[in-house]
Amino acid sequence: LRVRRRGGGRTLLEAGDLLVLGTLMLALANVRNELFLMTSMALALSDIQGEVAGPRARRPLALAACCTAALVAAVGCLAATVSAKTALEQSAEAAIAALEDAEADGGEAVICDIDVGSELELAGYRPLLDTRAELYCPELNGGTDAWGAARAMLASDTEAIEGTGADFAVVPSGAYPALEDGLAELGFSRVHDDGTFEVYARKAAP
């Protein structure tokens, strides 16, 4: 994986460089990948340090300090460019606050999808219809066809919705019109909608 100049000479590109570039792309796509970026940078810089500050180096400690300083500077630059919370995270927090206002208890089952499922779980709720890969494998769900049930709910199957036992739902605004119709038919009311997420509760509209 090393790319050298014609006729040999100094190395221009190594595997560590590709690792850093790849994880940088992931970190720019999703904040949660920052840790992978920092790890890959540390590995790449330690590899550089090992080659440059070898036994023949006159000042290995100085070179090691430079590599460490470069990593710290990169971390600082990335932290300065990433906002504390994305607009999606802020909207998810507002949706969870609306659930609390609707008197949803801890451990309450909430119909949702992948966009807010993790936030609901961290807030102490039980997310339903979080359509990630495990839903395609009934063996991971005790033999239950979770994805089939999810499709039925999205298609406005009121029996499937009732079968969840959920009194609340949090979904992206306008993403599931058929599900919204089924919720309305069962007496759910929309209690929050900020254009990103909407919250439904089985209670009378205010």
Side-chain angles (χ1 to χ4, degrees), residues 113-184:
D113 74 350
I114 191 172
D115 290 322
V116 74
S118 298
E119 285 79 3
L120 286 170
E121 191 168 12
L122 289 172
Y125 298 101
R126 183 161 56 90
L128 300 172
L129 213 152
D130 190 353
T131 51
R132 279 181 268 207
E134 63 266 22
L135 294 183
Y136 291 92
C137 185
E139 291 77 10
L140 295 178
N141 294 282
T144 302
D145 182 12
W147 179 230
R151 288 200 308 270
M153 281 187 279
L154 292 176
S156 189
D157 185 334
T158 54
E159 291 186 6
I161 297 172
E162 285 282 51
T164 66
D167 291 326
F168 301 92
V170 181
V171 293
S173 298
Y176 306 109
L179 174 62
E180 294 173 16
D181 292 341
L183 293 173

Side-chain angles (χ1 to χ4, degrees), residues 9 32 40 43 47 70 73 83-84 91 101 108 111 125 132 135 145 152-153 158 160 184 190 194:
R32 75 178 65 182
S40 67
L43 292 172
D47 183 52
S83 59
S91 182
D101 293 340
E108 188 87 48
I111 296 172
Y125 298 101
R132 279 181 268 207
L135 294 183
D145 182 12
M153 281 187 279
T158 54
R190 184 162 49 197
D194 62 0

Side-chain angles (χ1 to χ4, degrees), residues 90-99 101-102 169-171 173 189-201 203 206:
Q90 292 176 350
S91 182
E93 284 190 356
I96 291 171
L99 276 179
D101 293 340
V170 181
V171 293
S173 298
S189 300
R190 184 162 49 197
V191 296
H192 171 82
D193 186 2
D194 62 0
T196 301
F197 291 114
E198 51 191 7
V199 179
Y200 291 83
K203 69 174 190 177

